[in-house]
Amino acid sequence: MNNGTATVDGLDVRLEKHRVELTGYCYRMLGSSFEAEDAVQDTMVRAWRSYEKFEGRSSLRSWLYRIATNVCLDMLSAGNKRARPVDLTDSTPLAQAALSPCPDNTWLEPMPDARVLPSVSDPAEAAVAKESVRLAFMAALQQLPPKQRAVLILREVLAWKASEVAELLDTSVASVNSALQRARATLAERAAEGDDAAVSDPLDEEQRKLLERYVAAFEGYDMAALTALLHEDAVMTMPPFDLWLRGTSDITGFMTTLGSACEGSRLVPVEVNGLPGFAQYKPDPEAGGFTAWAVQVLEISAGRLTGFHFFLDTQRWFPLFDLPLQLEGEADKVE
């Protein structure tokens, strides 16, 4: 009994050190914030229960990744592929715009950077990690078969050796290399379709000024100023609705018609999916102040906003980002 106690002494602490990176791995595999956290919790429970059988033939980290991979592959066996609205339908002209929701498990979900990006000292490594959770890359990952997805993440994002991946997946190095080649080809096709968001890490001066101008334009609901910031082919999405819009006239037209209740909103910066983002609070005419409305994720390329994505299920997203559901208005604050 004493030996067994010594074996697991401090195991909780040792497992917890790997939580953020495992959550990032499971999130890339599953495309869902909450499923990723469930998968990691399942991984931790399985590791705890079977730790006495762990013979130390690999590192604790490698062993946890093996468990997490099996958990994710089990969860993916139903075949559901999460996506963005732009992956499922053509854009809708403003004149035909209608808000039709789809089930939660349809959509690629946002994730706070802090939950999936471990602190690293190497700027190049940090940049790769951020790029690998951006919405366009995440959407491309979801198109890969599950084992190809695992191989690509382990090899390209986490920089594992082919032999290490082969051991984890109980397969050959040749099979790993073949899966990686096919996965790269699929991602190259997706990249050719125009997903070219490019954000510096940290943001450069031009990008910071662009975001400052965006906040001023959005909070002021100044459509002329907003149009000046948008790429002519910018896209706007609003999960859980399948509607998405392309082009400045349709986007600003929507915002002043169906989306007019957002006028007077307040934006609070958030770090989400390796991209700039904001928590949007719109005016609450009944309770006063402002009420949670959306987590916005912005895509930037060549000095313009190329995409902004509004995730509207605030009861789920705001607690995930540790954000309140209400903000006081200026008149509500005590001097």
Side-chain angles (χ1 to χ4, degrees), residues 230-293:
L230 294 175
H231 188 279
E232 61 181 8
D233 289 326
V235 301
M236 175 180 174
T237 71
M238 293 161 282
F241 301 116
D242 59 4
L243 168 74
W244 67 279
L245 303 162
R246 183 190 294 277
T248 54
S249 60
D250 277 1
I251 289 172
T252 57
F254 178 90
M255 291 177 67
T256 53
T257 54
L258 292 177
S260 61
C262 290
E263 184 170 357
S265 290
R266 293 292 177 265
L267 300 182
V268 176
V270 294
E271 294 183 335
V272 51
N273 285 85
L275 292 163
F278 296 94
Q280 178 192 343
Y281 293 84
K282 72 174 185 176
D284 187 338
E286 295 182 3
F290 301 87
T291 190
W293 182 246

Short mmCIF file of all heavy atoms in Angstrom, two decimals, residues 230-293:
data_model
loop_
_atom_site.label_atom_id
_atom_site.label_comp_id
_atom_site.label_asym_id
_atom_site.label_seq_id
_atom_site.Cartn_x
_atom_site.Cartn_y
_atom_site.Cartn_z
N LEU A 230 -12.89 47.76 -43.94
CA LEU A 230 -13.19 46.42 -44.44
C LEU A 230 -12.61 46.19 -45.83
O LEU A 230 -12.68 47.07 -46.70
CB LEU A 230 -14.70 46.21 -44.51
CG LEU A 230 -15.48 46.18 -43.19
CD1 LEU A 230 -16.98 46.09 -43.47
CD2 LEU A 230 -15.03 45.03 -42.32
N HIS A 231 -12.08 45.00 -46.04
CA HIS A 231 -11.72 44.57 -47.39
C HIS A 231 -13.01 44.46 -48.20
O HIS A 231 -14.07 44.12 -47.66
CB HIS A 231 -11.00 43.23 -47.33
CG HIS A 231 -10.42 42.78 -48.64
ND1 HIS A 231 -11.18 42.18 -49.61
CD2 HIS A 231 -9.16 42.86 -49.13
CE1 HIS A 231 -10.40 41.90 -50.65
NE2 HIS A 231 -9.18 42.31 -50.39
N GLU A 232 -12.93 44.73 -49.50
CA GLU A 232 -14.15 44.72 -50.32
C GLU A 232 -14.84 43.36 -50.32
O GLU A 232 -16.05 43.27 -50.53
CB GLU A 232 -13.83 45.15 -51.75
CG GLU A 232 -12.84 44.25 -52.47
CD GLU A 232 -12.53 44.73 -53.88
OE1 GLU A 232 -12.95 45.84 -54.25
OE2 GLU A 232 -11.85 43.99 -54.61
N ASP A 233 -14.07 42.27 -50.08
CA ASP A 233 -14.64 40.93 -50.03
C ASP A 233 -14.73 40.40 -48.60
O ASP A 233 -14.77 39.17 -48.39
CB ASP A 233 -13.83 39.96 -50.89
CG ASP A 233 -14.01 40.22 -52.38
OD1 ASP A 233 -15.11 40.62 -52.76
OD2 ASP A 233 -13.04 40.03 -53.14
N ALA A 234 -14.74 41.28 -47.61
CA ALA A 234 -14.83 40.86 -46.21
C ALA A 234 -16.07 40.00 -45.98
O ALA A 234 -17.09 40.16 -46.67
CB ALA A 234 -14.87 42.08 -45.30
N VAL A 235 -15.97 39.09 -45.02
CA VAL A 235 -17.11 38.24 -44.70
C VAL A 235 -17.51 38.45 -43.24
O VAL A 235 -16.70 38.80 -42.39
CB VAL A 235 -16.81 36.74 -44.95
CG1 VAL A 235 -16.45 36.50 -46.39
CG2 VAL A 235 -15.71 36.23 -44.02
N MET A 236 -18.79 38.22 -42.98
CA MET A 236 -19.36 38.34 -41.64
C MET A 236 -20.20 37.10 -41.37
O MET A 236 -21.06 36.73 -42.17
CB MET A 236 -20.22 39.59 -41.56
CG MET A 236 -20.97 39.80 -40.26
SD MET A 236 -21.94 41.35 -40.37
CE MET A 236 -22.84 41.29 -38.82
N THR A 237 -19.91 36.42 -40.26
CA THR A 237 -20.68 35.23 -39.89
C THR A 237 -21.25 35.40 -38.49
O THR A 237 -20.74 36.20 -37.70
CB THR A 237 -19.82 33.95 -39.94
OG1 THR A 237 -18.87 33.96 -38.86
CG2 THR A 237 -19.06 33.84 -41.26
N MET A 238 -22.30 34.60 -38.20
CA MET A 238 -23.01 34.76 -36.92
C MET A 238 -23.51 33.41 -36.39
O MET A 238 -24.71 33.22 -36.23
CB MET A 238 -24.20 35.71 -37.09
CG MET A 238 -23.83 37.15 -37.38
SD MET A 238 -25.19 38.09 -38.11
CE MET A 238 -25.12 37.51 -39.82
N PRO A 239 -22.63 32.43 -36.14
CA PRO A 239 -23.12 31.18 -35.56
C PRO A 239 -23.89 31.46 -34.28
O PRO A 239 -23.48 32.35 -33.52
CB PRO A 239 -21.83 30.40 -35.27
CG PRO A 239 -20.80 31.01 -36.18
CD PRO A 239 -21.18 32.46 -36.30
N PRO A 240 -25.01 30.80 -34.00
CA PRO A 240 -25.49 29.55 -34.62
C PRO A 240 -26.32 29.71 -35.89
O PRO A 240 -26.88 28.74 -36.37
CB PRO A 240 -26.36 28.95 -33.51
CG PRO A 240 -26.96 30.15 -32.85
CD PRO A 240 -25.86 31.19 -32.85
N PHE A 241 -26.39 30.92 -36.47
CA PHE A 241 -27.14 31.10 -37.71
C PHE A 241 -26.27 30.73 -38.90
O PHE A 241 -25.07 31.02 -38.91
CB PHE A 241 -27.62 32.54 -37.84
CG PHE A 241 -28.51 32.97 -36.70
CD1 PHE A 241 -28.12 33.98 -35.84
CD2 PHE A 241 -29.72 32.34 -36.49
CE1 PHE A 241 -28.93 34.36 -34.79
CE2 PHE A 241 -30.55 32.71 -35.44
CZ PHE A 241 -30.15 33.72 -34.57
N ASP A 242 -26.86 30.09 -39.90
CA ASP A 242 -26.08 29.69 -41.07
C ASP A 242 -25.86 30.83 -42.06
O ASP A 242 -25.06 30.72 -42.98
CB ASP A 242 -26.71 28.48 -41.77
CG ASP A 242 -28.15 28.75 -42.24
OD1 ASP A 242 -28.64 29.88 -42.10
OD2 ASP A 242 -28.78 27.80 -42.75
N LEU A 243 -26.56 31.94 -41.87
CA LEU A 243 -26.39 33.10 -42.73
C LEU A 243 -24.97 33.64 -42.65
O LEU A 243 -24.39 33.76 -41.57
CB LEU A 243 -27.36 34.19 -42.28
CG LEU A 243 -27.15 35.59 -42.88
CD1 LEU A 243 -27.61 35.61 -44.33
CD2 LEU A 243 -27.89 36.64 -42.06
N TRP A 244 -24.39 33.96 -43.81
CA TRP A 244 -23.16 34.76 -43.80
C TRP A 244 -23.19 35.71 -44.98
O TRP A 244 -23.83 35.45 -45.99
CB TRP A 244 -21.92 33.88 -43.78
CG TRP A 244 -21.64 33.05 -45.00
CD1 TRP A 244 -22.21 31.84 -45.30
CD2 TRP A 244 -20.72 33.33 -46.06
NE1 TRP A 244 -21.70 31.36 -46.48
CE2 TRP A 244 -20.78 32.25 -46.97
CE3 TRP A 244 -19.85 34.38 -46.33
CZ2 TRP A 244 -20.00 32.20 -48.13
CZ3 TRP A 244 -19.08 34.33 -47.48
CH2 TRP A 244 -19.15 33.25 -48.37
N LEU A 245 -22.52 36.83 -44.80
CA LEU A 245 -22.57 37.92 -45.77
C LEU A 245 -21.17 38.20 -46.30
O LEU A 245 -20.18 38.06 -45.58
CB LEU A 245 -23.12 39.18 -45.10
CG LEU A 245 -24.51 39.04 -44.47
CD1 LEU A 245 -24.76 40.17 -43.49
CD2 LEU A 245 -25.59 39.03 -45.55
N ARG A 246 -21.11 38.63 -47.56
CA ARG A 246 -19.83 39.01 -48.16
C ARG A 246 -19.96 40.42 -48.77
O ARG A 246 -20.94 40.72 -49.45
CB ARG A 246 -19.42 38.03 -49.26
CG ARG A 246 -18.05 38.35 -49.86
CD ARG A 246 -17.75 37.52 -51.09
NE ARG A 246 -17.60 36.11 -50.79
CZ ARG A 246 -16.48 35.54 -50.33
NH1 ARG A 246 -15.42 36.30 -50.10
NH2 ARG A 246 -16.43 34.25 -50.12
N GLY A 247 -18.94 41.24 -48.51
CA GLY A 247 -18.90 42.56 -49.13
C GLY A 247 -19.39 43.66 -48.20
O GLY A 247 -20.27 43.45 -47.37
N THR A 248 -18.81 44.82 -48.36
CA THR A 248 -19.08 45.92 -47.43
C THR A 248 -20.54 46.38 -47.46
O THR A 248 -21.12 46.67 -46.41
CB THR A 248 -18.16 47.12 -47.74
OG1 THR A 248 -18.32 47.47 -49.13
CG2 THR A 248 -16.71 46.77 -47.48
N SER A 249 -21.14 46.42 -48.62
CA SER A 249 -22.52 46.95 -48.69
C SER A 249 -23.50 46.02 -48.00
O SER A 249 -24.40 46.48 -47.27
CB SER A 249 -22.94 47.18 -50.14
OG SER A 249 -22.90 45.98 -50.89
N ASP A 250 -23.36 44.70 -48.19
CA ASP A 250 -24.27 43.77 -47.52
C ASP A 250 -24.03 43.74 -46.01
O ASP A 250 -24.97 43.65 -45.22
CB ASP A 250 -24.12 42.36 -48.11
CG ASP A 250 -24.94 42.17 -49.38
OD1 ASP A 250 -25.60 43.14 -49.80
OD2 ASP A 250 -24.90 41.07 -49.95
N ILE A 251 -22.75 43.83 -45.61
CA ILE A 251 -22.44 43.80 -44.18
C ILE A 251 -23.00 45.03 -43.47
O ILE A 251 -23.71 44.92 -42.46
CB ILE A 251 -20.92 43.68 -43.96
CG1 ILE A 251 -20.43 42.29 -44.36
CG2 ILE A 251 -20.56 43.96 -42.50
CD1 ILE A 251 -18.92 42.13 -44.37
N THR A 252 -22.70 46.20 -43.99
CA THR A 252 -23.20 47.42 -43.33
C THR A 252 -24.72 47.55 -43.49
O THR A 252 -25.39 48.06 -42.58
CB THR A 252 -22.50 48.67 -43.89
OG1 THR A 252 -22.68 48.73 -45.31
CG2 THR A 252 -21.01 48.64 -43.58
N GLY A 253 -25.24 47.04 -44.61
CA GLY A 253 -26.70 47.04 -44.78
C GLY A 253 -27.38 46.18 -43.73
O GLY A 253 -28.42 46.55 -43.17
N PHE A 254 -26.80 45.03 -43.44
CA PHE A 254 -27.35 44.16 -42.40
C PHE A 254 -27.29 44.85 -41.04
O PHE A 254 -28.25 44.80 -40.26
CB PHE A 254 -26.59 42.83 -42.36
CG PHE A 254 -27.06 41.89 -41.29
CD1 PHE A 254 -28.07 40.98 -41.55
CD2 PHE A 254 -26.52 41.91 -40.01
CE1 PHE A 254 -28.53 40.12 -40.57
CE2 PHE A 254 -26.97 41.06 -39.02
CZ PHE A 254 -27.98 40.16 -39.31
N MET A 255 -26.16 45.48 -40.76
CA MET A 255 -25.97 46.09 -39.45
C MET A 255 -26.95 47.22 -39.19
O MET A 255 -27.29 47.49 -38.03
CB MET A 255 -24.52 46.56 -39.30
CG MET A 255 -23.53 45.41 -39.21
SD MET A 255 -21.80 45.94 -39.13
CE MET A 255 -21.78 46.75 -37.53
N THR A 256 -27.44 47.85 -40.24
CA THR A 256 -28.38 48.96 -40.05
C THR A 256 -29.83 48.53 -40.21
O THR A 256 -30.74 49.36 -40.06
CB THR A 256 -28.07 50.09 -41.05
OG1 THR A 256 -28.04 49.57 -42.38
CG2 THR A 256 -26.73 50.74 -40.72
N THR A 257 -30.05 47.24 -40.49
CA THR A 257 -31.44 46.74 -40.60
C THR A 257 -31.65 45.64 -39.56
O THR A 257 -31.98 45.94 -38.41
CB THR A 257 -31.72 46.23 -42.03
OG1 THR A 257 -30.73 45.25 -42.41
CG2 THR A 257 -31.69 47.37 -43.03
N LEU A 258 -31.45 44.38 -39.94
CA LEU A 258 -31.66 43.27 -38.99
C LEU A 258 -30.77 43.39 -37.76
O LEU A 258 -31.14 42.95 -36.67
CB LEU A 258 -31.41 41.93 -39.69
CG LEU A 258 -32.42 41.52 -40.77
CD1 LEU A 258 -32.01 40.21 -41.41
CD2 LEU A 258 -33.82 41.39 -40.18
N GLY A 259 -29.60 43.97 -37.93
CA GLY A 259 -28.65 44.05 -36.81
C GLY A 259 -28.65 45.40 -36.11
O GLY A 259 -27.73 45.70 -35.33
N SER A 260 -29.68 46.21 -36.33
CA SER A 260 -29.65 47.59 -35.82
C SER A 260 -29.67 47.69 -34.30
O SER A 260 -29.26 48.70 -33.73
CB SER A 260 -30.82 48.38 -36.39
OG SER A 260 -32.07 47.80 -36.00
N ALA A 261 -30.10 46.60 -33.62
CA ALA A 261 -30.11 46.63 -32.15
C ALA A 261 -28.72 46.69 -31.56
O ALA A 261 -28.55 46.96 -30.37
CB ALA A 261 -30.86 45.40 -31.61
N CYS A 262 -27.68 46.44 -32.39
CA CYS A 262 -26.30 46.50 -31.90
C CYS A 262 -25.78 47.93 -31.81
O CYS A 262 -24.68 48.15 -31.28
CB CYS A 262 -25.38 45.69 -32.81
SG CYS A 262 -25.65 43.91 -32.70
N GLU A 263 -26.52 48.89 -32.34
CA GLU A 263 -26.07 50.28 -32.25
C GLU A 263 -25.94 50.69 -30.78
O GLU A 263 -26.78 50.37 -29.95
CB GLU A 263 -27.07 51.20 -32.94
CG GLU A 263 -26.62 52.65 -32.98
CD GLU A 263 -27.49 53.53 -33.87
OE1 GLU A 263 -28.42 52.99 -34.51
OE2 GLU A 263 -27.22 54.75 -33.91
N GLY A 264 -24.84 51.36 -30.48
CA GLY A 264 -24.58 51.78 -29.11
C GLY A 264 -23.87 50.73 -28.27
O GLY A 264 -23.76 50.89 -27.05
N SER A 265 -23.37 49.66 -28.90
CA SER A 265 -22.70 48.58 -28.16
C SER A 265 -21.36 49.05 -27.58
O SER A 265 -20.80 50.06 -27.99
CB SER A 265 -22.44 47.39 -29.09
OG SER A 265 -23.64 46.73 -29.44
N ARG A 266 -20.86 48.26 -26.63
CA ARG A 266 -19.53 48.45 -26.07
C ARG A 266 -18.71 47.20 -26.35
O ARG A 266 -19.23 46.08 -26.31
CB ARG A 266 -19.60 48.70 -24.56
CG ARG A 266 -20.27 50.02 -24.19
CD ARG A 266 -19.42 51.21 -24.63
NE ARG A 266 -20.08 52.49 -24.36
CZ ARG A 266 -20.80 53.15 -25.25
NH1 ARG A 266 -20.99 52.65 -26.46
NH2 ARG A 266 -21.34 54.31 -24.95
N LEU A 267 -17.42 47.38 -26.63
CA LEU A 267 -16.52 46.27 -26.94
C LEU A 267 -15.43 46.16 -25.88
O LEU A 267 -14.83 47.16 -25.48
CB LEU A 267 -15.87 46.48 -28.32
CG LEU A 267 -16.80 46.58 -29.53
CD1 LEU A 267 -15.99 46.73 -30.81
CD2 LEU A 267 -17.72 45.37 -29.61
N VAL A 268 -15.19 44.94 -25.43
CA VAL A 268 -14.14 44.64 -24.45
C VAL A 268 -13.15 43.68 -25.11
O VAL A 268 -13.56 42.62 -25.60
CB VAL A 268 -14.74 44.00 -23.18
CG1 VAL A 268 -13.63 43.59 -22.21
CG2 VAL A 268 -15.74 44.94 -22.51
N PRO A 269 -11.85 44.01 -25.16
CA PRO A 269 -10.89 43.15 -25.86
C PRO A 269 -10.79 41.76 -25.24
O PRO A 269 -10.83 41.61 -24.01
CB PRO A 269 -9.56 43.89 -25.72
CG PRO A 269 -9.92 45.30 -25.37
CD PRO A 269 -11.21 45.22 -24.60
N VAL A 270 -10.65 40.75 -26.09
CA VAL A 270 -10.38 39.38 -25.66
C VAL A 270 -9.33 38.78 -26.60
O VAL A 270 -9.17 39.24 -27.73
CB VAL A 270 -11.64 38.48 -25.66
CG1 VAL A 270 -12.64 38.95 -24.63
CG2 VAL A 270 -12.28 38.42 -27.04
N GLU A 271 -8.62 37.77 -26.12
CA GLU A 271 -7.67 37.03 -26.95
C GLU A 271 -8.30 35.70 -27.27
O GLU A 271 -8.52 34.87 -26.39
CB GLU A 271 -6.34 36.87 -26.22
CG GLU A 271 -5.62 38.20 -25.98
CD GLU A 271 -4.28 38.03 -25.31
OE1 GLU A 271 -4.09 37.01 -24.60
OE2 GLU A 271 -3.41 38.91 -25.47
N VAL A 272 -8.59 35.47 -28.54
CA VAL A 272 -9.39 34.33 -28.95
C VAL A 272 -8.85 33.73 -30.24
O VAL A 272 -8.59 34.45 -31.21
CB VAL A 272 -10.89 34.74 -29.10
CG1 VAL A 272 -11.05 35.96 -29.98
CG2 VAL A 272 -11.73 33.59 -29.62
N ASN A 273 -8.63 32.43 -30.24
CA ASN A 273 -8.19 31.71 -31.43
C ASN A 273 -6.97 32.35 -32.09
O ASN A 273 -6.86 32.39 -33.32
CB ASN A 273 -9.33 31.59 -32.44
CG ASN A 273 -10.35 30.54 -32.01
OD1 ASN A 273 -11.25 30.84 -31.24
ND2 ASN A 273 -10.19 29.31 -32.48
N GLY A 274 -6.05 32.84 -31.30
CA GLY A 274 -4.83 33.41 -31.84
C GLY A 274 -5.06 34.67 -32.64
O GLY A 274 -4.18 35.11 -33.39
N LEU A 275 -6.23 35.29 -32.49
CA LEU A 275 -6.61 36.46 -33.27
C LEU A 275 -7.14 37.56 -32.35
O LEU A 275 -7.52 37.29 -31.20
CB LEU A 275 -7.71 36.08 -34.28
CG LEU A 275 -7.31 35.14 -35.41
CD1 LEU A 275 -8.55 34.54 -36.06
CD2 LEU A 275 -6.47 35.89 -36.45
N PRO A 276 -7.19 38.81 -32.84
CA PRO A 276 -7.83 39.84 -32.04
C PRO A 276 -9.32 39.57 -31.92
O PRO A 276 -9.93 39.03 -32.85
CB PRO A 276 -7.59 41.12 -32.87
CG PRO A 276 -6.61 40.76 -33.92
CD PRO A 276 -6.69 39.29 -34.14
N GLY A 277 -9.88 39.93 -30.80
CA GLY A 277 -11.31 39.72 -30.62
C GLY A 277 -11.88 40.68 -29.59
O GLY A 277 -11.14 41.38 -28.90
N PHE A 278 -13.19 40.68 -29.51
CA PHE A 278 -13.89 41.55 -28.57
C PHE A 278 -15.12 40.84 -28.04
O PHE A 278 -15.77 40.08 -28.77
CB PHE A 278 -14.32 42.86 -29.23
CG PHE A 278 -13.18 43.71 -29.70
CD1 PHE A 278 -12.72 43.62 -31.00
CD2 PHE A 278 -12.54 44.56 -28.82
CE1 PHE A 278 -11.65 44.39 -31.44
CE2 PHE A 278 -11.46 45.34 -29.24
CZ PHE A 278 -11.02 45.25 -30.55
N ALA A 279 -15.40 41.08 -26.78
CA ALA A 279 -16.70 40.73 -26.23
C ALA A 279 -17.61 41.91 -26.49
O ALA A 279 -17.30 43.04 -26.10
CB ALA A 279 -16.60 40.44 -24.74
N GLN A 280 -18.73 41.66 -27.16
CA GLN A 280 -19.67 42.74 -27.50
C GLN A 280 -20.84 42.73 -26.54
O GLN A 280 -21.49 41.70 -26.32
CB GLN A 280 -20.19 42.58 -28.93
CG GLN A 280 -21.21 43.65 -29.31
CD GLN A 280 -21.94 43.32 -30.61
OE1 GLN A 280 -21.50 42.50 -31.39
NE2 GLN A 280 -23.06 43.98 -30.83
N TYR A 281 -21.10 43.89 -25.95
CA TYR A 281 -22.26 44.10 -25.08
C TYR A 281 -23.16 45.13 -25.76
O TYR A 281 -22.71 46.22 -26.11
CB TYR A 281 -21.83 44.63 -23.72
CG TYR A 281 -21.03 43.67 -22.88
CD1 TYR A 281 -19.66 43.53 -23.05
CD2 TYR A 281 -21.65 42.89 -21.90
CE1 TYR A 281 -18.91 42.65 -22.28
CE2 TYR A 281 -20.92 42.01 -21.10
CZ TYR A 281 -19.55 41.89 -21.30
OH TYR A 281 -18.82 41.02 -20.53
N LYS A 282 -24.43 44.78 -25.96
CA LYS A 282 -25.33 45.74 -26.60
C LYS A 282 -26.21 46.38 -25.52
O LYS A 282 -26.40 45.82 -24.43
CB LYS A 282 -26.16 45.07 -27.69
CG LYS A 282 -27.25 44.14 -27.21
CD LYS A 282 -28.09 43.67 -28.40
CE LYS A 282 -29.28 42.83 -27.93
NZ LYS A 282 -30.16 42.44 -29.05
N PRO A 283 -26.77 47.56 -25.80
CA PRO A 283 -27.59 48.24 -24.81
C PRO A 283 -28.77 47.38 -24.35
O PRO A 283 -29.38 46.67 -25.14
CB PRO A 283 -28.09 49.48 -25.56
CG PRO A 283 -27.09 49.70 -26.65
CD PRO A 283 -26.63 48.33 -27.05
N ASP A 284 -29.03 47.45 -23.04
CA ASP A 284 -30.16 46.71 -22.46
C ASP A 284 -31.23 47.72 -22.06
O ASP A 284 -31.14 48.34 -20.99
CB ASP A 284 -29.67 45.92 -21.24
CG ASP A 284 -30.74 45.00 -20.68
OD1 ASP A 284 -31.93 45.25 -20.93
OD2 ASP A 284 -30.38 44.03 -19.99
N PRO A 285 -32.23 47.92 -22.91
CA PRO A 285 -33.24 48.97 -22.63
C PRO A 285 -34.09 48.67 -21.41
O PRO A 285 -34.67 49.59 -20.81
CB PRO A 285 -34.09 48.99 -23.90
CG PRO A 285 -33.89 47.65 -24.54
CD PRO A 285 -32.50 47.22 -24.18
N GLU A 286 -34.18 47.41 -21.00
CA GLU A 286 -35.03 47.05 -19.86
C GLU A 286 -34.29 47.19 -18.54
O GLU A 286 -34.77 47.83 -17.60
CB GLU A 286 -35.56 45.62 -20.03
CG GLU A 286 -36.50 45.46 -21.22
CD GLU A 286 -37.04 44.05 -21.33
OE1 GLU A 286 -36.74 43.22 -20.44
OE2 GLU A 286 -37.78 43.78 -22.30
N ALA A 287 -33.09 46.56 -18.45
CA ALA A 287 -32.35 46.56 -17.19
C ALA A 287 -31.38 47.73 -17.08
O ALA A 287 -30.85 48.01 -16.01
CB ALA A 287 -31.59 45.24 -17.04
N GLY A 288 -31.14 48.42 -18.21
CA GLY A 288 -30.12 49.46 -18.20
C GLY A 288 -28.75 48.86 -18.40
O GLY A 288 -28.54 47.65 -18.30
N GLY A 289 -27.78 49.70 -18.69
CA GLY A 289 -26.43 49.21 -18.94
C GLY A 289 -26.37 48.43 -20.24
O GLY A 289 -27.07 48.73 -21.22
N PHE A 290 -25.55 47.40 -20.22
CA PHE A 290 -25.30 46.63 -21.44
C PHE A 290 -25.35 45.13 -21.14
O PHE A 290 -24.92 44.70 -20.06
CB PHE A 290 -23.92 46.99 -22.01
CG PHE A 290 -23.76 48.44 -22.35
CD1 PHE A 290 -23.34 49.34 -21.38
CD2 PHE A 290 -24.06 48.91 -23.61
CE1 PHE A 290 -23.21 50.69 -21.68
CE2 PHE A 290 -23.93 50.26 -23.92
CZ PHE A 290 -23.50 51.15 -22.95
N THR A 291 -25.87 44.37 -22.08
CA THR A 291 -25.99 42.93 -21.90
C THR A 291 -25.11 42.20 -22.92
O THR A 291 -24.94 42.66 -24.05
CB THR A 291 -27.46 42.48 -22.03
OG1 THR A 291 -27.58 41.13 -21.63
CG2 THR A 291 -27.97 42.63 -23.46
N ALA A 292 -24.57 41.05 -22.51
CA ALA A 292 -23.69 40.27 -23.39
C ALA A 292 -24.43 39.89 -24.66
O ALA A 292 -25.58 39.45 -24.63
CB ALA A 292 -23.24 39.01 -22.65
N TRP A 293 -23.74 40.03 -25.80
CA TRP A 293 -24.38 39.73 -27.07
C TRP A 293 -23.55 38.79 -27.94
O TRP A 293 -24.08 37.88 -28.54
CB TRP A 293 -24.67 41.02 -27.83
CG TRP A 293 -25.37 40.79 -29.13
CD1 TRP A 293 -24.89 41.02 -30.39
CD2 TRP A 293 -26.68 40.24 -29.31
NE1 TRP A 293 -25.81 40.66 -31.35
CE2 TRP A 293 -26.93 40.18 -30.69
CE3 TRP A 293 -27.68 39.82 -28.42
CZ2 TRP A 293 -28.13 39.69 -31.23
CZ3 TRP A 293 -28.87 39.34 -28.95
CH2 TRP A 293 -29.09 39.28 -30.33
#
